[in-house]
Amino acid sequence: MLNHDHNVQQNMNLMLQPKIHHHMVGDQRAVNWVYVLHGIFGAGRNWTSFARRLVEARPEWGVVLVDLRQHGHSQGFKPPHTLEACAHDLRELAESIRHPPKVILGHSFGGKVALMATLVLSPSQVWVIDSSPSRRTPSGGAYQMLEILKRLPGPFRDRREAVESLQDEGVAEHVAHWMATNLEADGRGYSWCLDLTDIESMMSDFFRQDLWEIVEDPHQASEIHLVKATKSDVVPIEDLKRFGRSNLNGRIFGHEVSGGHWLHVDNPDDLQILIQDRLPGV
């Protein structure tokens, strides 16, 4: 009886644990899957158009659009909120849906998660989109946005007020509208569905981590592609050169694609062609 009660409690605990939200694009019977990881403040839906175009061009592949922990519909996760925790979330997702990733694509924050995930999932290929493996001082647009959100916690009367408030802080209109997708209605109006303390923890770990060891390890099996956006300064040219020098066993590739940091919006055609033509053979 005690064992039965213990098993019941274990099962209840498993049911109560938060799950990584995801959306699958393509033929559910596909045996080859690309996991797509968004940047900070984003969600899997940001890459829906790209995913649809990719599976149209390569119908033998499917795409899993992931909401990383504390983003989108993946809420309620307990700390620590780190790159390593995100990588283990992906492993649990792969086990639950029984479609392990053959390819992991990560943009910005998701790029470092993709690199970390090679240690627990061993994909054939990783795409790091405009993200550097380097440790660096917190800076950039996402870090500045975090500081702005701290000053604008809400609630707002409506989404328009939130967008206008962000614009008053110097945020571009299209970015302000994108950020407004992170608002949810409550009894007081519209508030951010982001836990800024958790987001800050994730960003701090992102800037703190140096993942060059994963890139430069000659025994690492995963093929790694770093894509630098030509109109972005997120990936210094020195890092792109170091990436090229890391090709100790023919598995490291550096690319440049014309466009800004949001390459899947700025230049989806060239980014899609680059990736679809280099997906592993099936």
Side-chain angles (χ1 to χ4, degrees):
M1 185 66 177
L2 289 175
N3 286 337
H4 172 74
D5 291 343
H6 177 70
N7 290 337
V8 169
Q9 185 62 50
Q10 278 190 320
N11 291 335
M12 290 180 63
N13 289 340
L14 288 173
M15 292 174 63
L16 292 173
Q17 289 178 359
K19 302 292 184 183
I20 287 294
H21 181 268
H22 67 283
H23 177 64
M24 301 171 77
V25 179
D27 189 340
Q28 302 294 302
R29 298 168 297 179
V31 295
N32 299 284
W33 291 86
V34 182
Y35 282 26
V36 175
L37 315 179
H38 58 82
I40 211 78
F41 301 123
R45 63 177 178 270
N46 300 149
W47 285 77
T48 300
S49 178
F50 178 88
R52 288 173 177 166
R53 290 163 53 115
L54 186 63
V55 299
E56 285 176 4
R58 296 294 299 269
E60 72 276 21
W61 285 80
V63 176
V64 178
L65 298 174
V66 178
D67 284 0
L68 295 171
R69 60 166 52 211
Q70 306 307 88
H71 287 76
H73 295 290
S74 297
Q75 299 294 330
F77 285 80
K78 295 181 179 180
H81 300 301
T82 61
L83 299 180
E84 184 177 4
C86 291
H88 284 284
D89 291 342
L90 294 180
R91 183 177 64 181
E92 291 183 5
L93 173 63
E95 292 172 352
S96 68
I97 66 176
R98 299 181 181 179
H99 289 308
K102 192 165 188 176
V103 173
I104 303 178
L105 180 153
H107 172 246
S108 197
F109 178 88
K112 268 192 170 179
V113 176
L115 285 174
M116 185 70 79
T118 63
L119 303 179
V120 295
L121 283 169
S122 301
S124 297
Q125 193 179 79
V126 173
W127 288 84
V128 180
I129 310 299
D130 212 41
S131 184
S132 171
S134 295
R135 177 190 298 113
R136 60 190 177 95
T137 302
S139 61
Y143 184 75
Q144 293 169 7
M145 181 64 74
L146 177 64
E147 295 304 310
I148 291 172
L149 295 184
K150 288 179 181 178
R151 296 194 293 270
L152 300 173
F156 306 96
R157 291 189 305 273
D158 50 33
R159 294 180 186 275
R160 180 178 178 180
E161 183 187 11
V163 169
E164 291 175 349
S165 297
L166 289 171
Q167 288 183 271
D168 289 343
E169 291 280 345
V171 177
E173 182 177 4
H174 71 284
V175 176
H177 280 286
W178 171 70
M179 282 301 302
T181 63
N182 286 305
L183 289 168
E184 61 182 9
D186 55 30
R188 302 173 300 162
Y190 285 81
S191 300
W192 303 112
C193 61
L194 301 165
D195 186 314
L196 298 184
T197 300
D198 293 346
I199 296 296
E200 186 166 22
S201 294
M202 296 174 78
M203 291 182 65
S204 295
D205 194 59
F206 171 83
F207 287 117
R208 182 171 54 245
Q209 292 280 0
D210 185 325
L211 301 186
W212 279 106
E213 184 176 356
I214 294 174
V215 176
E216 296 173 337
D217 182 358
H219 304 294
Q220 174 67 254
S222 299
E223 186 178 285
I224 300 177
H225 294 256
L226 174 67
V227 180
K228 172 179 170 54
T230 59
K231 298 178 182 179
S232 167
D233 60 1
V234 170
V235 180
I237 193 65
E238 294 78 12
D239 282 5
L240 192 63
K241 291 178 180 178
R242 180 177 177 181
F243 207 79
R245 294 194 299 269
S246 302
N247 198 12
L248 303 178
N249 61 359
R251 65 180 186 86
I252 302 298
F253 303 88
H255 312 274
E256 291 188 83
V257 174
S258 177
H261 181 61
W262 304 96
L263 273 175
H264 59 297
V265 177
D266 275 9
N267 193 354
D269 292 339
D270 286 353
L271 182 63
Q272 177 196 333
I273 291 171
L274 173 68
I275 294 171
Q276 73 184 38
D277 290 348
R278 289 167 176 78
L279 289 175
V282 295

